[in-house]
Amino acid sequence: MTMPMLAAATAAAAGLLAAPYLAGLTLPAAAHSGTRSASWWRPRTTTLRRTVLTAAVAAVLAGLAGAGAGDHADWPAFLVLALAGTVLALVDAEQHRLPNKILLIAAGAGVVLLIAAAGIDHRWDDLARAAVGGAAVFALLYLAALASPRSVGLGDVKLAGLLAGYLAWRSWPTMVTGLALGFLAAGLVAAGMLATGRRDPLPLGPFLITAALIAIAIHP
């Protein structure tokens, strides 16, 4: 088994092991603020169907992250992105929202783990590019959201900035590929829905997250 395959298999296994806990975080009560907000992170009992769905999504996303990271020091950072992305994608698909708590965890862990990876592999230039890329994409989409609030939500703006940072850590082409693929896929699905007369709201998060991890996997 090659190193990328081993890294992908290990990450996918981690996704499967984490699935029961992640499934609890996708519950509506855990995603919304309120009286339970102080204990939102505690494991919750959920259905077998939700757990199986979460496990499938986590295994795929984590496998992509592991395949892209290989045996480099950024493997833990991309695994965290995949696990947090699992919760974000499922919550957005079901509730059309992206919980700030999960976004903050992914961002905070990403900063710490990518700084550690930069120190281990001497990739300070990559770290600087990640910071610039994430900030630039967030700023551009934030301005777009202010100009046209119905075109993109603030949750999507935060997510895109977060993903841009992870993608730019790899390279500028990786960042462009990941974001463009996500927006293009969402646009095509939205166009197909309109063509068939459906006007249901389309969650952008699952497209952006999946596309970002595909880009990471194909740009190792």
Side-chain angles (χ1 to χ4, degrees):
M1 182 180 290
T2 64
M3 183 54 67
M5 292 178 61
L6 179 60
T10 304
L16 291 174
L17 289 174
Y21 176 74
L22 299 177
L25 295 182
T26 68
L27 291 170
H32 289 284
S33 60
T35 57
R36 299 184 179 182
S37 60
S39 60
W40 65 269
W41 51 270
R42 292 179 180 172
R44 298 173 184 272
T45 302
T46 184
T47 63
L48 177 61
R49 178 182 178 183
R50 184 180 290 270
T51 301
V52 170
L53 175 61
T54 304
V57 174
V60 171
L61 295 184
L64 290 171
D71 60 346
H72 294 286
D74 57 7
W75 187 91
F78 285 112
L79 176 61
V80 168
L81 175 62
L83 298 182
T86 297
V87 178
L88 291 169
L90 291 174
V91 171
D92 198 22
E94 183 179 19
Q95 304 174 37
H96 298 283
R97 64 189 306 272
L98 293 162
N100 281 325
K101 299 180 184 72
I102 307 300
L103 287 169
L104 286 173
I105 288 174
V111 169
V112 172
L113 293 173
L114 289 181
I115 288 175
I120 293 171
D121 288 342
H122 305 289
R123 297 176 62 179
W124 300 111
D125 289 345
D126 294 339
L127 185 65
R129 186 175 60 247
V132 171
V137 169
F138 175 84
L140 288 173
L141 289 181
Y142 184 74
L143 292 175
L146 290 180
S148 179
R150 304 184 79 176
S151 62
V152 59
L154 289 179
D156 295 321
V157 172
K158 298 171 190 175
L159 176 62
L162 169 68
L163 295 175
Y166 274 97
L167 290 164
W169 160 265
R170 281 302 173 82
S171 67
W172 293 121
T174 305
M175 188 186 83
V176 173
T177 299
L179 294 178
L181 183 60
F183 282 107
L184 177 61
L188 291 174
V189 172
M193 291 173 62
L194 288 175
T196 58
R198 295 181 58 188
R199 298 185 179 275
D200 301 330
L202 183 69
L204 185 57
F207 294 96
L208 292 180
I209 293 165
T210 304
L213 288 165
I214 289 174
I216 290 167
I218 64 178
H219 290 93

